[in-house]
């Protein structure tokens, strides 16, 4: 940003300058052939990006004209050297209107609108170009009222002024004001008619668009294309085809609009017939047909057509890349990405999304690093993908660096990137920065509020979640069904039973939200955790739909907490009917039997898993230390620092026992000696990760660990002791929620 006061200072300096020396070409010799040749050479250098060559020539010129300065000024502006342009402007002996307009446009393009307004106010003479720059620049930033202000100030308006103001209204969705401006005069050309018609189409007002189309004194091919594509986009292919057939002239865009319309409306055969009948095709036409096959997941046909294309552009490659990514075909997507002759920001973002959605966290981060090395511009989609990956693996340090890069890149924290930031901070267990990011968001949508509520809920901070919910209710954003799931989950994870019951039974009346299975699941979980198992079971019987496996799973989990093997067995049998491959439920029921000493029943579960081919998901935990993610499994013997970790755990175990810790051997699903059970519990993956964190993360900083499964009871109890003995905050994210261990207690209140 260039402070306006500097420009005002420059204007004051110019007003007190002495007359020019006689030898200066700006006062005499304006038509000096040598000066003219040098001016042309400066312009040529600047257009070719040879800024240094232009500067050397400018410095060597014995005589200069105002046009010389203007050539340098325009060159600096075109090459993105705004500070140099502003500095040179202050040195122009007698700037003319072109000088002012050039700097004005450069300021506007660089989003320095406040400086542009300051320079506009200082201009001694303004022309139509001046006003048009102010109109278009403010319109491009959504400042339509200011654009209209400069439009009204213009003493004379040309076609560019009128069309610019009309386009400003249309682009910003203010079509009625655009229509008012349109009706205020009659001398509109086809471009203006088409602009307003396009605005109506864009905002779904097809009847108004059709009324304009029918009134047009002279339609061109663009007019027909707008209407054909408009009807096609809204699914009215009958009217789109009728207009297509009636069009007196068609170009490649008319044909492509019909192909795209058929494709987007699932009419693949019709799309291919029109495509085959096209008299000429461009890359957009081919891309539309390839996309039609991709939409139907017909990747072989899409690839065949792609290989036939005589004219591929970067969008063609991106279409195939995105298709493979959406189909989960990562190898094919990477092959396309590696083969691309040219990549743009969309290509990188698509490949990042493919890796991120495919769970390839390491590949996502490596590709993002490579993207930076290649100097590629990082768009919002790319940032959102990598933030999501950082959230998945709790790579907080990497996520915070990305946050910094977002700010340095000049992105405002709007909803798209802002919501990804909130999710990243919450999933990494950093609630303070999540709240700060939320407060800094320039705009918030329902997803923003829902992310905050659900984030606090998963961390067991029900009070904070409900405070955010109360804040939301004071805004114009209406709570939806997802909001209420978060609210009920907050009550469940925090033991706020009566408050949760109140929200559940009043949400339809207060918020217009009808209870869905997700809301019932939260209620079953809430009642079950509170030990009100009979009420939870009765609620399931009274539901307007059949209970699903998630609901039975909530009841099974409550049966484990409150040691009710009979109800647990009943819930498990229902789950086995609905999801016979769900290994977690077999393990959970085995836990219930083992904790009750029913080893025969626990062994039956293991036999049943083997007979049904159900495999227990291995437990893994990971922790980020100095921007590197370390992964551990139970009894890990491959980590390079394993000996140091095990020695630390042995010492820690002795100190824990002195403090009163007793191993929860009833959690071990094997009928073996107590000593062996203790040994099996000691080296769970989450304990190894926490130990590694304590050894390598400086005191005062939290230990952040993720586990892919639910934390076991013994580890949960152990971490309470460890947090007190070591004086560390331990943040554990398991498959169900977050646990904050501090000073010998957990934020979940042992509700998990």
């Amino acid at each position: 940003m260039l402070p306006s006061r500097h420009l005002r200072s420059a204007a004051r300096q110019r007003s007190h300058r002495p007359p020019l020396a006689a030898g200066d070409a700006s006062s005499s010799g304006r038509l000096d052939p040598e000066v003219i040749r040098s001016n042309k050479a400066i312009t040529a250098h600047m257009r070719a990006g040879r800024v240094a060559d232009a500067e050397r020539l400018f410095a060597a010129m014995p005589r200069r004209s105002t046009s010389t300065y203007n050539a340098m000024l325009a060159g600096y502006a075109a090459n993105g050297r705004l500070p140099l342009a502003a500095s040179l402007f202050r040195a122009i002996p007698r700037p003319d209107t072109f000088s002012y307009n050039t700097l004005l446009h450069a300021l506007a393009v660089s989003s320095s609108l406040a400086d542009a307004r300051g320079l506009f106010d200082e201009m001694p003479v303004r022309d139509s170009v001046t006003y048009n720059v102010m109109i278009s620049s403010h319109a491009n930033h959504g400042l339509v009222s200011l654009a209209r202000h400069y439009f009204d100030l213009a003493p004379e308006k040309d076609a560019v002024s009128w069309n610019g103001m009309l386009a400003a209204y249309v682009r910003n969705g203010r079509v009625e004001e655009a229509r008012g401006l349109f009706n205020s005069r009659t001398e509109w050309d086809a471009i203006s008619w088409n602009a307003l018609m396009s605005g109506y189409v864009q905002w779904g007002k097809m009847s108004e668009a059709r009324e304009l189309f029918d009134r047009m004194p002279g339609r061109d091919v663009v007019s027909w294309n707008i209407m054909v594509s408009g009807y096609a986009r809204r699914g009215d292919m009958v009217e789109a085809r009728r207009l297509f057939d009636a069009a007196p002239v068609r170009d490649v865009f008319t044909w492509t609009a019909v192909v795209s319309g058929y494709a987007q409306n699932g009419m693949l055969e019709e799309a291919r017939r029109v495509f085959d009948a096209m008299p000429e095709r461009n890359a957009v036409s081919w891309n539309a047909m390839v996309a039609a096959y991709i939409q139907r997941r017909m990747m072989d046909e899409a690839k065949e057509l792609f290989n036939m294309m005589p004219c591929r552009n970067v969008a063609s490659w991106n279409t195939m890349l995105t298709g493979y990514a959406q189909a989960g075909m990562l190898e094919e997507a990477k092959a396309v990405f590696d083969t691309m002759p040219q990549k743009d920001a969309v290509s990188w973002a698509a490949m990042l999304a493919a890796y991120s959605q495919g769970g390839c966290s390491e590949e996502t981060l490596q590709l993002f690093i490579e993207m930076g090395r290649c100097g590629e511009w990082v768009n919002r989609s790319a940032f959102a993908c990598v933030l999501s990956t950082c959230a998945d693996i709790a790579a907080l340090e990497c996520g915070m660096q990305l946050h910094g890069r977002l700010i340095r890149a000049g992105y405002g924290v709007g909803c798209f990137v802002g919501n990804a930031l909130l999710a990243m901070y919450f999933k990494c267990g950093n609630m303070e920065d999540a709240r700060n990011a939320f407060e800094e968001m320039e705009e918030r949508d329902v997803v923003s509020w829902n992310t905050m509520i659900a984030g606090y809920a998963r961390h067991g901070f029900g009070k904070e979640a409900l405070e955010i919910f109360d804040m939301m209710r004071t805004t114009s954003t209406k709570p939806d069904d997802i909001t209420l799931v978060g609210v009920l989950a907050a009550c469940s994870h925090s033991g706020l039973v009566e408050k949760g019951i109140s929200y559940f039974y009043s949400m339809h009346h207060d918020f217009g939200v009808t209870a869905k299975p997700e809301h019932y699941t939260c209620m079953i979980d809430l009642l079950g955790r509170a030990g009100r198992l009979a009420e939870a079971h009765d609620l399931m019987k009274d539901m307007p739909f059949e209970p699903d496996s998630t609901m039975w799973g909530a009841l099974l989990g409550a049966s484990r907490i409150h040691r009710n093997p009979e109800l647990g067995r009943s819930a498990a049998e229902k789950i086995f009917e609905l999801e016979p491959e769900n290994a977690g439920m077999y393990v959970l029921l085995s836990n219930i039997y083992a904790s009750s000493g029913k080893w025969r029943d626990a062994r039956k579960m293991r036999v049943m898993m083997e007979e049904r081919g159900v495999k227990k998901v291995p437990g893994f935990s990971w922790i980020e230390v100095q921007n590197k993610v370390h992964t551990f499994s139970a009894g890990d013997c491959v980590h390079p620092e394993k000996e140091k970790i095990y020695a630390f755990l042995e010492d820690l175990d002795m100190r824990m026992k002195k403090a009163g810790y007793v191993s929860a051997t009833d959690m071990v699903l094997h009928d073996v000696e107590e000593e062996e059970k203790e040994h099996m519990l000691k080296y769970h993956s989450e304990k190894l990760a926490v130990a590694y964190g304590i050894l390598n993360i400086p005191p005062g900083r939290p230990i952040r660990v993720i586990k892919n499964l639910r934390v076991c009871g013994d580890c949960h109890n152990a971490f309470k002791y460890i947090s007190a003995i070591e004086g560390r905050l331990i943040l554990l994210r398991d498959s169900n929620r977050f646990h904050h261990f501090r000073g010998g207690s957990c934020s979940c209140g042992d509700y998990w």
Side-chain angles (χ1 to χ4, degrees):
M1 294 288 287
L2 300 168
S4 297
R5 63 179 179 273
H6 290 181
L7 297 174
R8 286 194 290 271
S9 173
R12 286 194 297 271
Q13 291 169 16
R14 282 195 294 270
S15 65
H16 294 93
R17 280 201 179 102
L20 292 171
D24 195 306
S26 56
S27 64
S28 63
R30 287 175 185 268
L31 301 180
D32 185 325
E34 187 61 34
V35 172
I36 293 173
R37 279 194 295 272
S38 295
N39 291 350
K40 290 180 178 179
I42 287 172
T43 300
H45 284 314
M46 287 296 195
R47 284 177 178 170
R50 298 188 296 269
V51 177
D53 291 340
E55 289 174 332
R56 280 191 289 270
L57 179 56
F58 177 80
M61 288 178 67
R63 297 165 64 81
R64 301 166 184 153
S65 67
T66 300
S67 296
T68 311
Y69 286 94
N70 287 346
M72 288 295 295
L73 186 64
Y76 279 142
N79 285 281
R81 311 290 179 86
L82 183 56
L84 291 176
S87 177
L88 179 70
F89 177 79
R90 291 191 285 270
I92 300 177
R94 290 292 182 267
D96 57 15
T97 305
F98 182 87
S99 314
Y100 277 98
N101 284 343
T102 301
L103 182 58
L104 188 72
H105 183 264
L107 290 168
V109 167
S110 70
S111 302
S112 304
L113 294 185
D115 292 332
R117 289 192 289 270
L119 185 62
F120 174 89
D121 292 339
E122 295 161 8
M123 289 182 68
V125 179
R126 305 175 185 124
D127 58 13
S128 60
V129 173
T130 311
Y131 289 98
N132 292 342
V133 167
M134 297 302 286
I135 293 166
S136 63
S137 60
H138 286 83
N140 290 340
H141 286 80
L143 303 172
V144 182
S145 297
L146 274 173
R148 182 61 192 249
H149 167 72
Y150 289 106
F151 176 81
D152 291 336
L153 278 181
E156 294 183 5
K157 302 173 181 67
D158 57 15
V160 175
S161 313
W162 286 96
N163 286 336
M165 195 63 234
L166 186 70
Y169 281 134
V170 168
R171 279 200 305 271
N172 289 279
R174 297 164 66 165
V175 285
E176 295 310 318
E177 289 168 274
R179 185 60 181 264
L181 182 70
F182 188 82
N183 290 339
S184 69
R185 69 193 291 261
T186 57
E187 303 83 20
W188 295 100
D189 55 19
I191 294 173
S192 312
W193 285 84
N194 290 339
L196 182 56
M197 194 160 61
S198 177
Y200 279 130
V201 168
Q202 180 183 345
W203 295 97
K205 300 187 175 185
M206 288 304 299
S207 57
E208 290 88 343
R210 185 57 182 265
E211 179 261 330
L212 271 181
F213 178 76
D214 292 339
R215 277 181 47 208
M216 279 187 74
R219 303 178 192 129
D220 58 14
V221 68
V222 176
S223 316
W224 290 90
N225 291 349
I226 290 170
M227 292 306 296
V228 170
S229 61
Y231 281 119
R233 280 203 298 270
R234 69 187 300 234
D236 190 350
M237 289 309 301
V238 173
E239 190 60 22
R241 185 58 189 258
R242 196 189 70 75
L243 282 178
F244 173 80
D245 292 336
V249 59
R250 305 177 193 133
D251 61 11
V252 67
F253 299 103
T254 324
W255 287 86
T256 302
V258 176
V259 172
S260 297
Y262 278 134
Q264 290 164 8
N265 288 284
M267 305 165 74
L268 185 59
E269 292 74 17
E270 290 86 344
R272 186 58 192 256
R273 276 197 291 271
V274 175
F275 178 80
D276 289 339
M278 290 181 72
E280 63 170 320
R281 306 183 186 107
N282 61 10
V284 178
S285 319
W286 286 91
N287 293 347
M289 196 63 233
V290 170
Y293 283 119
I294 289 173
Q295 187 178 334
R296 294 274 287 269
R297 292 290 190 268
M298 300 170 67
M299 292 307 301
D300 290 339
E301 290 80 357
K303 181 180 179 181
E304 180 182 355
L305 197 63
F306 176 78
N307 290 335
M308 290 169 54
M309 287 181 68
C311 50
R312 296 178 193 144
N313 58 16
V314 68
S316 314
W317 291 89
N318 288 345
T319 301
M320 287 300 297
L321 172 57
T322 304
Y324 281 129
Q326 290 174 348
M329 303 168 70
L330 286 183
E331 289 185 11
E332 291 82 353
K334 186 64 165 63
V336 170
F337 183 78
D338 291 340
T339 312
M340 292 179 73
Q342 179 186 357
K343 301 178 180 76
D344 61 9
V346 176
S347 318
W348 289 91
M351 196 63 232
L352 285 168
Y355 277 143
S356 179
Q357 292 163 11
C360 303
S361 303
E362 185 174 343
E363 290 83 351
T364 305
L365 296 179
Q366 287 298 326
L367 186 66
F368 185 74
I369 293 169
E370 183 184 342
M371 185 180 184
R373 288 178 184 150
C374 292
E376 184 60 58
W377 174 65
V378 183
N379 61 17
R380 283 181 171 84
S381 295
F383 272 120
C385 279
V386 183
L387 282 170
S388 176
T389 296
C390 291
D392 290 340
I393 61 173
L396 177 62
E397 292 178 29
C398 179
M400 294 177 75
Q401 290 169 13
L402 281 173
H403 191 174
R405 283 191 61 178
L406 269 169
I407 295 170
R408 290 194 297 274
Y411 285 122
V413 186
C415 292
F416 184 64
V417 172
N419 293 341
L421 268 176
L422 296 183
M424 184 275 294
Y425 279 125
F426 269 123
K427 287 186 176 181
C428 291
N430 191 332
M431 293 184 295
E432 183 178 348
D433 281 335
R435 184 61 179 262
N436 291 338
F438 179 74
E439 298 293 348
E440 292 169 5
M441 288 181 70
E442 297 164 357
E443 56 179 323
R444 300 169 185 150
D445 59 11
V446 68
V447 177
S448 315
W449 293 99
N450 291 349
T451 303
M452 290 296 294
I453 293 168
Y456 276 128
R458 284 199 68 196
H459 283 273
F461 290 77
K463 179 183 175 184
E464 289 78 0
L466 298 182
E467 284 176 358
I468 293 290
F469 180 57
D470 290 338
M471 285 174 56
M472 180 185 186
R473 294 170 67 180
T474 66
T475 70
S476 59
T477 306
K478 184 181 177 182
D480 60 11
D481 57 319
I482 298 173
T483 313
L484 270 298
V485 169
V487 168
L488 294 175
C491 295
S492 175
H493 286 304
S494 305
L496 303 172
V497 182
E498 297 305 323
K499 207 167 189 66
I501 292 172
S502 174
Y503 279 126
F504 178 75
Y505 286 107
S506 66
M507 66 184 186
H508 181 70
H509 177 269
D510 292 347
F511 311 110
V513 174
T514 302
K516 294 181 177 179
E518 296 84 357
H519 302 102
Y520 278 96
T521 300
C522 288
M523 282 301 296
I524 294 162
D525 189 56
L526 179 140
L527 293 168
R529 288 174 189 272
R532 295 159 68 165
L533 300 179
E535 290 179 61
H537 202 188
D538 289 343
L539 182 64
M540 294 174 71
K541 295 174 184 176
D542 295 338
M543 290 189 309
F545 29 71
E546 288 296 314
D548 60 21
S549 60
T550 308
M551 298 173 188
W552 288 113
L555 192 63
L556 177 58
S559 301
R560 177 186 67 85
I561 292 173
H562 298 287
R563 303 201 175 196
N564 188 329
E566 291 74 22
L567 185 57
R569 184 201 298 270
S570 175
E573 287 173 354
K574 293 291 186 181
I575 295 169
F576 297 154
E577 290 176 14
L578 296 168
E579 292 184 358
E581 304 299 317
N582 190 332
M585 295 302 107
Y586 290 89
V587 174
L588 199 54
L589 185 57
S590 295
N591 267 324
I592 294 173
Y593 288 142
S595 63
S596 303
K598 297 184 177 182
W599 298 110
R600 181 178 297 177
D601 290 328
R603 282 194 294 272
K604 281 182 181 178
M605 287 295 98
R606 296 173 62 83
V607 171
M608 190 184 297
M609 288 178 70
E610 292 174 5
E611 290 175 347
R612 296 181 178 181
V614 179
K615 296 191 180 297
K616 181 180 180 295
V617 177
F620 291 99
S621 298
W622 53 95
I623 184 171
E624 181 195 26
V625 177
Q626 295 180 345
N627 263 349
K628 183 178 180 182
V629 176
H630 298 259
T631 305
F632 296 89
S633 58
D636 198 303
C637 58
V638 296
H639 194 277
E641 297 183 52
K642 60 181 182 297
E643 292 180 4
K644 186 178 178 182
I645 295 169
Y646 284 127
F648 176 75
L649 277 176
E650 289 293 336
D651 175 69
L652 185 59
D653 186 60
M654 292 176 60
R655 288 187 284 147
M656 287 164 57
K657 286 178 177 176
K658 286 181 181 179
Y661 163 74
V662 177
S663 298
T665 53
D666 58 353
M667 292 287 114
V668 179
L669 305 184
H670 300 280
D671 189 8
V672 295
E673 295 299 322
E674 288 295 308
E675 185 177 347
E676 187 176 347
K677 288 181 182 179
E678 287 188 19
H679 184 80
M680 295 168 73
L681 290 169
K682 194 181 298 181
Y683 304 122
H684 276 189
S685 64
E686 55 265 54
K687 283 181 181 167
L688 296 175
V690 166
Y692 184 75
I694 293 172
L695 288 169
N696 291 278
I697 296 174
R701 292 181 59 189
I703 309 296
R704 292 184 168 86
V705 173
I706 301 183
K707 184 172 183 182
N708 64 328
L709 304 176
R710 190 179 298 222
V711 62
C712 80
D714 179 71
C715 288
H716 189 274
N717 186 39
F719 291 155
K720 291 193 289 185
Y721 280 91
I722 294 171
S723 68
I725 292 169
E726 292 291 328
R728 304 294 292 265
L729 169 62
I730 300 171
L731 301 177
L732 173 67
R733 184 177 110 199
D734 69 9
S735 61
N736 191 48
R737 61 168 298 154
F738 277 86
H739 303 265
H740 292 234
F741 300 94
R742 188 200 301 266
S745 63
C746 179
S747 61
C748 75
D750 295 336
Y751 283 95
W752 94 99

